[in-house]
Amino acid sequence: MGATGEQIGPARSRERFLVGEPIADGVRSPILDSWQRCQSLGLSPDQTDLPYRDDFDPDSRLVHAAQPVLDQLASRFAGSQMNVSLADGNGTVLQRRFGEPTLARSLPPIQSVPGFVFAERFAGTNGIGLALTERHLVQVYGAEHFAERSQSNACSAIPIRDQLSGHIVGVLCFGYPHGYEHPALPVLVRRAAESIERRLMEQRSERERALLRAYLDAGHLARNGADPGQGPMIGLEQLGDSGLDLHDQMILKEKATELISSTGRAAVEVFLPHGRGVTLLSSPVTSRSGVEGIVVEAVFTGEPPPEHHHLSVATGAGPPHGAHGSPYGAHGSPHGSPHGTPPGPSDAAPPARGAPAPGKVRGLVLVGEPEVGKYAVAARRRLELLAEASTRIGTTLDVTRTAWELAEMAVPRLADYVTIDVPEAVLRGEESADPRSELHRTVVHGIREDCPFYPVGRVELRAGTPHMRCLDSGQAVLEPDLREAVGWIGQEPEHAQGILSRGVHSLVSVPLLARGVLLGIASFYRSQDPAPFGEDDSWLAQELAARAALCIDNARRYTREHTLALALQESLLPHGVPEQGAVEVAHRYLPAESGVGGDWFDVIPLSGTRVALLVGDVVGHGLHAAATMGRLRTAARNFAELELAPDELLTHLDNLLVRLDREEGGDNDSGSTGIVGATCLYAVYDPTSRLCTMARAGHPPPALVHPGGRVTFPELPAGPPLGLGGLPFETAEIELPEGSTLVLYTDGLIEDRERDLDVALDQLSRTLAEPDRSPEDTCQAVIDAVAPKHPADDIALLVARTRTVPADRIATWNVSADPSLVAGVRAAATRQLADWGLDELAFAAELMLSELVTNAVRYGTEPIQVRLVHDRSLICEVADGSNTAPHLRRAATTEEGGRGLFLVAQLAHAWGTRYTTHGKVIWAECALDAAWRPTYRPYLHCRQ
């Protein structure tokens, strides 16, 4: 390679590296990696000796293919200091060409004589060695060379591959002064290498043609001197006249390819789709030039094969008997025919047991070299693996499961062990800012359970290892021989030796890239197969990884959306049950496995010790459903605060959903899918009367568990789902026994593809039929027994055991519309509070009742009723037959009245108005532990 000139390249960086100083930038990563490998190997920059081999073949196929190309390059660069080298797959130089012939005489033998080995482990960083390591076109300039002898040289080198197998068989290297650098030079190097690769393929074609001529010559001899009972020898295409269509011929060619790869004699029978049998015979053949190959003939009788035939190969079945279990073995027949004898009538292997008798029709199927047959079989199996991978990788939207599917596809058909490392951020559904610093080993899979690799968990990959080089470059890294991967071994010698001691000898590391995002790294290891990984294996690993990466990215995106939707939904669901005394409540919420839905529940305390219970389900999944659920739940709470009846509340929710659907669906460019609808069940329970008023909008009816354990499903008017608009809802009123349990749920609990709805309701009924069980235990029992193991829809469950307010804690008075009776109501209320032990609240209650009853007498209509309820608070209620609602206002200083409701609002913990079918109720609550507010006492005394 050498040429003279000034030192070029990153000389200062190289000096810092050699003395152990850190290098920030200025050195390309392949060069720096190569320097590190050279240093690990113990190479010295001033080393001058290289191994010399005198056993290389100067007349090899590679040399024959490259000779004309090298001559053309020498002619093109005549008179220049350009030199061209051809090396084999081990780095041994086979041929050299110099633009200036005298240049060879001025260079040392190491740079001018063929036979010296320029592999990286001997010569350090150089074009030939780096091309073999990086396995693609490389360029090395001046000080980028590790050895000092090449400091004045620049070179471009590219691997030469066998186009059939993909294996690197050589390297083409251009050496030149740095001034010869030109943008068109890499293109010239690539074209020259491609020309050599084409000529190698042409050599294969010539060899196959020679084998075919040998076969045809043998057939000519057979026709001239053989038993005429053998029948004519024709081509496979001509067998179409005997009933073989193109599909049949393709089947025979596939089986013939497997026979060629078996390298010996065999006789197998193939069952075709039409029920006919064809016997394939494989025999060795040698051309006049000494090329050894296999010829496969078909013997076709046109009759269906016998049912008792045992030595047959069914269509699409496993490998032929010639390769695995042929009665003639893999290398010869029982007659001992010598390998290399052209097949004649007496030389063909006898037909297998049960095969049709020879003599009908014989035809040539394939002829070729065993090595070519092996490549063809391997290529077909790779395609089969890829086809299978397209259906078996990505069956779920789970990152970890998808990674496992990639490993299961690769073991053992491609690799013996597979490890997959994914950033922790990807597992959470996010993109990783630095995949190298937060890798999590997600999969460790192999042919043995005791894999010699680090287990699942956090891993740290170090610089210089094949895995880190793969992550840094985003390209696959192939290490055919791990024993020579000194950078990997040097990082953790004990761990590396433990892996090598298990027979692991070859590695392919492939990045998981999808849509420009690095999602991790998959590493494939080989141990049982003595052949190392090659380029074809690397390409197959990359194809598998690319398909898996896309599925992993889809799973990551889904995980992100699912997490966001779940977080949104959890933020919109109640975080706790509000304090109230009407029911004892427990609840459960389970999101669907396939996506977050719009299920929700709520418990809303109402006035008069009542409570509202609500469950609902928005149709659809994802963020849109969760957001819609939040809107409906907020609206339902607001409507409940207005003390609307259940049917009226559902009507308002229906109108809201119709309006939202119209607003979101009206903009065609918004990309919104619109709101399909929702279902809802709304129940209001009054513990003073034990009455429960319910209405439902397309929702499953609740389950009612009586105190003795009997389970019923109350018949409620179904009502249309929310979102249809304009259809009425109906209510039903049920008296609940004390201690009964009301169970509300969404359809995800009982609807499942794997069971009938009636079966699920029976399971629910049997599970609930247990008396004296707490709501919390009931919730857990229902989830364990009734909920699907893999719910396809969200599940919201609300269990409420009813309580009642004792009759001795309720006091009621009917009042006529006479202002003079107000004083008697105050006195009666004071006595009742004394009986309850609430003397401290007597003054406030007396004042509130006085104002409320006075307003009812003055502005309301009969009947007028006053009620006191002693529950978690003291509730004062005044009902009348008027629908006119009072309004709180601030009275002017000159006004005599208008301060009554203001006083009630100041004295009460809460107050409000609710409408009934017969009028309205004005209520006020006083907390039992609330102290009297002395600020208002002077003002109140003045009013009195």
Side-chain angles (χ1 to χ4, degrees), residues 327-683:
Y328 309 109
H331 300 287
S333 70
H335 299 287
S337 299
H339 183 77
T341 305
S346 61
D347 198 32
R353 181 179 53 171
K360 296 296 183 178
V361 178
R362 298 180 62 184
L364 172 66
V365 181
L366 280 179
V367 60
E369 297 178 81
E371 182 183 7
V372 177
K374 291 178 182 178
Y375 292 150
V377 171
R380 192 183 73 192
R381 290 175 180 170
R382 287 195 294 269
L383 291 176
E384 292 172 351
L385 180 60
L386 289 175
E388 187 177 350
S390 64
T391 60
R392 289 184 54 188
I393 296 178
T395 59
T396 66
L397 288 172
D398 181 79
V399 173
T400 301
R401 182 57 208 158
T402 304
W404 268 103
E405 289 169 347
L406 168 60
E408 290 168 350
M409 281 300 306
V411 175
R413 297 162 69 176
L414 171 62
D416 297 314
Y417 298 98
V418 173
T419 64
I420 299 178
D421 305 323
V422 177
E424 294 178 353
V426 173
L427 297 175
R428 299 191 301 266
E430 306 168 1
E431 292 185 12
S432 175
D434 186 8
R436 300 172 298 180
S437 62
E438 55 172 14
L439 282 175
H440 182 275
R441 178 144 294 174
T442 308
V443 173
V444 179
H445 183 53
I447 55 177
R448 296 174 52 174
E449 293 184 0
D450 56 336
C451 295
F453 305 97
Y454 288 123
V456 171
R458 189 73 178 267
V459 293
E460 181 179 353
L461 301 180
R462 302 185 181 181
T465 62
H467 314 78
M468 187 57 71
R469 286 160 47 204
C470 175
L471 285 174
D472 289 338
S473 64
Q475 303 290 332
V477 173
L478 171 62
E479 289 286 353
D481 191 349
L482 278 175
R483 293 169 299 182
E484 298 182 359
V486 292
W488 171 70
I489 296 175
Q491 297 286 346
E492 292 183 84
E494 293 184 3
H495 180 65
Q497 291 300 332
I499 295 176
L500 295 174
S501 65
R502 297 290 187 91
V504 178
H505 59 80
S506 192
L507 162 69
V508 177
S509 291
V510 182
L512 297 174
L513 283 168
R515 303 182 179 96
V517 178
L518 182 59
L519 303 172
I521 179 175
S523 299
F524 303 84
Y525 299 87
R526 180 169 287 177
S527 63
Q528 285 193 332
D529 190 344
F533 282 126
E535 290 292 339
D536 49 353
D537 300 309
S538 176
W539 294 334
L540 178 58
Q542 292 177 60
E543 284 291 335
L544 289 175
R547 299 183 185 212
L550 188 60
C551 296
I552 289 175
D553 192 49
N554 291 337
R556 178 190 66 82
R557 291 167 177 254
Y558 167 79
T559 301
R560 179 183 60 187
E561 180 179 346
H562 180 77
T563 302
L564 289 175
L566 186 60
L568 173 62
Q569 187 171 36
E570 289 179 348
S571 68
L572 297 174
L573 287 172
H575 290 196
V577 178
E579 294 184 1
Q580 46 79 37
V583 291
E584 181 185 357
V585 177
H587 56 84
R588 291 289 188 278
Y589 171 76
L590 296 180
E593 284 191 352
S594 59
V596 175
D599 292 19
W600 87 95
F601 64 90
D602 213 342
V603 179
I604 309 172
L606 301 177
S607 64
T609 70
R610 298 172 307 135
V611 66
L613 305 175
L614 176 68
V615 291
D617 181 7
V618 175
V619 177
H621 293 84
L623 289 172
H624 188 264
T628 303
M629 177 272 290
R631 290 179 172 182
L632 287 179
R633 177 175 176 254
T634 301
R637 291 189 67 89
N638 292 334
F639 293 147
E641 293 289 341
L642 296 176
E643 304 281 1
L644 298 179
D647 56 338
E648 295 180 10
L649 183 139
L650 292 182
T651 299
H652 283 285
L653 290 180
D654 182 50
N655 294 335
L656 172 64
L657 206 56
V658 170
R659 185 164 58 253
L660 292 176
D661 195 14
R662 187 181 302 117
E663 292 174 357
E664 297 191 7
D667 185 5
N668 294 331
D669 298 331
S670 64
S672 173
T673 58
I675 303 172
V676 178
T679 65
C680 184
L681 172 62
Y682 185 72

Side-chain angles (χ1 to χ4, degrees), residues 240-282:
D241 298 335
S242 301
L244 290 182
D245 56 20
L246 292 177
H247 181 60
D248 296 335
Q249 296 176 32
M250 182 178 298
I251 294 173
L252 293 179
K253 289 181 178 180
E254 288 181 359
K255 297 301 177 183
T257 302
E258 295 179 0
L259 286 175
I260 289 176
S261 66
S262 67
T263 71
R265 290 182 178 276
V268 297
E269 188 166 343
V270 179
F271 290 170
L272 299 177
H274 302 294
R276 298 179 179 180
V278 177
T279 301
L280 295 181
L281 306 176
S282 65

